[in-house]
Every structure is written in C-alpha cells, then in structure tokens.
Amino acid sequence: MRPELAPTFSRFFLVLLVNSATAAPPWTLKFLNESASYSAAKCLDGTPYGYFVQYSQVNSSRWTFYLEGGNYCNSQDSCKSRVEQDAAGGGSSNRLRPGAFDGLNLVDYDPDKNPDFFNDHHVFMPYCSGDLWTGTRTTADASSFGYYFSGHVIIGLMLDVMQQHAASISRPVTEVIFSGGSAGANGVLLNIDYVYERLAPAVRVVGFPNAGWTSNETRSYQQFVFGQTPNNTAERRAGEQLWQAWINPPCLAVYGADWNRCFGYLGYRFLRTEVFIAQATFELGSPVATTPYDANVLGFLREHGDIINRQLTIVRNGTLSRNGLFQPSCVAHTIAWSEILVNGTSLRQAFGDWYFNCTGRRIWAEEYTQLPCNPSPLRGYNYCVGPTNTGVQIDYAAGPSCAYDSSASTGRFVNKAVTLSSKPTELTMSAWVWPKPHHTGSADMYALMVCSA
C-alpha cells in the first residue's frame, strides 16, 4: 500500500510525526562470516563480505536492496587494482566504514526525499566481487589469480539473511525491491529472475536497474574516432570465464554457455520478473570531456543515442507489459533521483507511481532527437549539445541546463538561451533550433504515458 502523502496537511503531519517520534534508524555494518554457513561470501581478496542494514522502525514487510556499482575486472592486473583501491567498487571489505554513506535514493530514510519507501528495511550491498554480481567462484587458485568471485552467491546468502530476520520478528516478507546503479544495475538485470525464483509467489519481487542497459553494440569514443569495432563482447567473455558467472536458465537454454548473449538488452527479453528500467538515452559510463564539442563528438553521441534508443524499443513496445521505463534524453550515467524530469516527473515520482498504481506498462520517455538535451539540473557532470558549427561547451557545475520548448506549428524543438559555466569563462548561448525527426512508432515515444492494461 502506498503512503498517502498527497494532502499538504497529511504530508506535514507524517513528516512531523516521523521526525519528532524517532530519529533515522542507524545503519549497521554486518559481516556474513558471523555464521559458518555464509563463509562462501567473500570479496575479491578473500575478506568476508560486509553489508549495511537499516531496519524499519515499523517492522515493514517490504525490503529494499541497493547493489553498489563500479565496473568489473577480468584479468590479473585489473583485479589487483580493484583490491588495492579504497573506494566504491573496491575488492576488499577492509574499505567499509559504518556511516560511510547515507541518503541514497531508494534506501534513504528521509520521508521528504523518499516518501514511498523510507520506512522499508534498507540494505546497502557494497560491491567488492568485481564480477557484475554474477560470480560463483568461491575458491581461489592459480586460474583465478588467487581471487574469489562470489557476487551471485552473496545475493543468494543475503536473501537467507533477510528471511531469517523476518522470521525473528514474526513479520513475513511480502515485497522485495532490488535496485542498483551502473554495475549494480547490471547485477539487478542479471540476477532478478534468480531472486524471483527464490521468493515468488509469496513475495512480490521487482527489479529497478539505473544505468544497466549495457549494449554490445556501443563503442568507446576512441573506437568511434579510429573506426574500430566494439570489444565489449570479448572483455565480458573473459570475465564470464574467470568469474564462473551465473547465467539465467531461460537465456542459457537458448544461447548455451555464451553468457554475453544474456547480458543487458539481449537478456531482457528472457526476464520473467517485473522491472522498471531507468536509462538515459545518452548513457555514457566514461563521458567525453572535449570542449568545445567537435564533429567527432557529435557523431559519437548520435551513434550512441541511436543504438540505446533503438534497443529500448523492446521496453516501450514489447510484450513484457507489466514493466516500466524512465528514459530522459540526457547524457548521464545513472539518473538522479529527483533532479531530472520527464514532462515534469522525476524518477522518484515515476517509480512510485508505477510501483503502486500501474497494472500495465508505463513509460516516461522524452522524444528522441539524435542529440541530447538535459531539461533540468544534474548532479556531477552535465552536458547540453546542439548542432552548431562551433560546438558546445560543458557545464561542470550542477547548474541550469538546456531547457526546451516544442513548437507544434513548426515541428521543431527550440532550446531556450541559457548561461552555462564552462571553465574558465561563462558564455550565454543563443537558442539552437533543429528539425524534429519524424516518428512512425507508437505514441509512447512522446513524454508521459498513462498506464496501459
């Protein structure tokens, strides 16, 4: 049941009640080696897996998990580098510190920032396995360079931990949301059917990947400039073998041991679990930092956007009618929870509306225009691109980005003049205008969609 926060007075009263009655429950760092039955859960370097948990103050029956991201490793050198780094996506639990994070979207206790899910049981799962959460390699030897790859195993054991706690408080689990960003989003897509098979039908299981729509077709900027073919397939295949990756059985039945064919958008069509995809059209894990943008950069962005937008058609128009999509036309790696809007709707609002109110497919997708335009401020890097001869500057601050108007009479997008902070000087950009492309697809290419049965 969705918390009722619409009336102003009711919302104020609930927030006041939460803030006055109790402070946010603490995040507790726990390790899976506390029980011998969990000894297989290890980080790359063999240290025991650690996770953070924030138990619900109302003994909720819903559990919300967040899988941390941070790329992957597929060789001795790349895995060695992960173990040595003391940052997100590292390879050791030695980097974990209680209270090292807070306010992370779906696992945020703040009812203003996360009104629908703040009172859930929250679990933040650090990423220290380097295997896109797919590894089943629980022993280390020379063929694994002395490292462990147990991401998939860790997920299974965390489900055991959840069920045991639920039994201890006599509050059976009824809903589970698995979310994650970047490599964590890949982990969601690759494992969500496993979670479903473990828990359904007694539990509603939902996947919520943010920036996990990884494509085998997209190229890096260097590959684009030099006319090279993408090497994503070879890199991930090397990882698959090293990690002894878990493969979703329906996809495995079709493609055999070619795990790479079950990755990202290729594996989506085999999913049986309901998922809400959050994916920017111009999702770049390693953004191009060229100022101003030249013809190569604009061509690279067009190619990248063409591929992602085409592949997301399976979500917009596909047969998996229960799923949802939030697709802003932005250059963004992971979509900010509240700052990016599609037709006035944030990712937070869209996911909540879909989760509680929608019985069919629901789509929030900005019209594809071949080049990106951010309609609202982003955290971190922020790009706004237009087809001009001189290229485009980059806004490095979380300031105003390119807003746009749509003119039905001319069939063109008009980007309003905005001021961007482009190191080291500021400039005021004139309005850009370019033709609006013709669409032959269904209406869900345009802005906000209502639920379809």
Side-chain angles (χ1 to χ4, degrees):
M1 181 177 180
R2 188 174 198 174
E4 179 54 60
L5 295 177
T8 302
F9 177 78
S10 299
R11 181 183 181 87
F12 172 78
F13 180 76
L14 175 59
V15 172
L16 180 64
L17 178 65
V18 170
N19 290 339
S20 62
T22 178
W27 284 99
T28 303
L29 174 60
K30 292 178 173 287
F31 290 91
L32 284 180
N33 69 341
E34 294 172 359
S35 169
S37 59
Y38 300 145
S39 60
K42 292 183 173 67
C43 295
L44 272 170
D45 65 348
T47 50
Y49 183 74
Y51 64 97
F52 296 90
V53 62
Q54 184 184 58
Y55 293 118
S56 169
Q57 297 291 82
V58 296
N59 284 339
S60 173
S61 62
R62 183 169 57 234
W63 287 68
T64 301
F65 293 80
Y66 188 90
L67 305 185
E68 186 183 35
N71 212 330
Y72 61 86
C73 68
N74 61 359
S75 66
Q76 183 174 11
D77 289 342
S78 60
C79 292
K80 181 175 183 291
S81 296
R82 292 185 74 89
V83 169
E84 292 173 349
Q85 73 181 41
D86 186 30
S92 175
S93 62
N94 292 330
R95 71 181 174 92
L96 301 180
R97 307 286 186 275
F101 70 94
D102 199 5
L104 188 63
N105 300 344
L106 205 61
V107 292
D108 192 335
Y109 185 74
D110 189 333
D112 273 335
K113 298 177 181 178
N114 186 28
D116 292 324
F117 305 99
F118 76 95
N119 236 338
D120 296 359
H121 298 287
H122 299 148
V123 181
F124 179 83
M125 296 178 59
Y127 178 40
C128 66
S129 55
D131 55 8
L132 296 177
W133 297 95
T134 65
T136 64
R137 195 162 197 162
T138 57
T139 58
D141 54 31
S143 64
S144 69
F145 312 116
Y147 296 123
Y148 300 82
F149 302 93
S150 55
H152 173 74
V153 175
I154 289 168
I155 288 176
L157 293 175
M158 289 302 302
L159 297 180
D160 294 339
V161 169
M162 173 190 71
Q163 295 284 39
Q164 289 175 8
H165 181 82
S168 72
I169 61 173
S170 300
R171 183 67 162 161
V173 179
T174 61
E175 301 170 63
V176 166
I177 302 172
F178 255 77
S179 64
S182 189
N186 284 300
V188 171
L189 283 172
L190 292 164
N191 285 282
I192 194 63
D193 271 3
Y194 167 77
V195 177
Y196 176 85
E197 291 297 328
R198 284 280 308 270
L199 302 176
V203 177
R204 180 189 180 187
V205 177
V206 166
F208 184 18
N210 189 341
W213 196 259
T214 308
S215 169
N216 296 335
E217 299 178 43
T218 54
R219 298 188 283 182
S220 69
Y221 179 62
Q222 279 189 323
Q223 290 168 346
F224 175 83
V225 170
F226 293 104
Q228 300 169 341
T229 57
N231 60 352
N232 302 332
T233 299
E235 289 184 357
R236 293 187 197 119
R237 185 169 289 122
E240 167 204 346
Q241 296 168 354
L242 179 61
W243 310 329
Q244 297 178 358
W246 182 84
I247 304 173
N248 195 14
C251 193
L252 178 63
V254 175
Y255 292 120
D258 191 357
W259 175 85
N260 202 66
R261 298 296 300 272
C262 302
F263 191 92
Y265 82 99
L266 289 170
Y268 172 84
R269 62 195 176 101
F270 293 97
L271 294 182
R272 293 152 289 171
T273 312
E274 54 185 306
V275 295
F276 187 95
I277 305 291
Q279 183 68 43
T281 303
F282 300 89
E283 190 279 314
L284 303 177
S286 300
V288 179
T290 304
T291 308
Y293 276 10
D294 58 18
N296 276 332
V297 177
L298 294 177
F300 169 67
L301 287 171
R302 287 190 186 97
E303 177 184 276
H304 193 97
D306 285 346
I307 293 170
I308 297 300
N309 187 65
R310 168 173 51 81
Q311 292 174 352
L312 284 172
T313 302
I314 193 175
V315 185
R316 293 191 299 264
N317 304 331
T319 58
L320 302 175
S321 60
R322 178 60 187 91
N323 294 346
L325 172 67
F326 189 85
Q327 184 193 350
S329 181
C330 295
V331 176
H333 185 54
T334 69
I335 300 171
W337 188 228
S338 299
E339 288 78 6
I340 294 183
L341 306 179
V342 174
N343 199 35
T345 301
S346 68
L347 177 58
R348 174 185 67 77
Q349 295 167 322
F351 179 72
D353 286 347
W354 171 82
Y355 187 91
F356 292 103
N357 299 328
C358 193
T359 57
R361 185 171 69 250
R362 190 160 190 178
I363 309 295
W364 288 263
E366 288 186 308
E367 186 173 9
Y368 179 57
T369 59
Q370 294 186 310
L371 289 171
C373 186
N374 293 322
S376 59
L378 276 169
R379 292 174 179 168
Y381 56 83
N382 188 357
Y383 299 77
C384 193
V385 179
T388 65
N389 294 328
T390 58
V392 175
Q393 302 292 332
I394 300 174
D395 177 14
Y396 285 86
S401 61
C402 184
Y404 64 80
D405 289 333
S406 177
S407 173
S409 60
T410 62
R412 299 158 77 91
F413 275 126
V414 179
N415 291 320
K416 299 174 183 176
V418 294
T419 300
L420 297 181
S421 173
S422 60
K423 299 176 180 178
T425 59
E426 284 200 351
L427 73 156
T428 300
M429 306 174 68
S430 300
W432 297 315
V433 183
W434 69 89
K436 185 165 72 172
H438 174 67
H439 287 285
T440 57
S442 65
D444 65 6
M445 291 288 290
Y446 300 83
L448 181 65
M449 279 287 290
V450 298
C451 282
S452 59

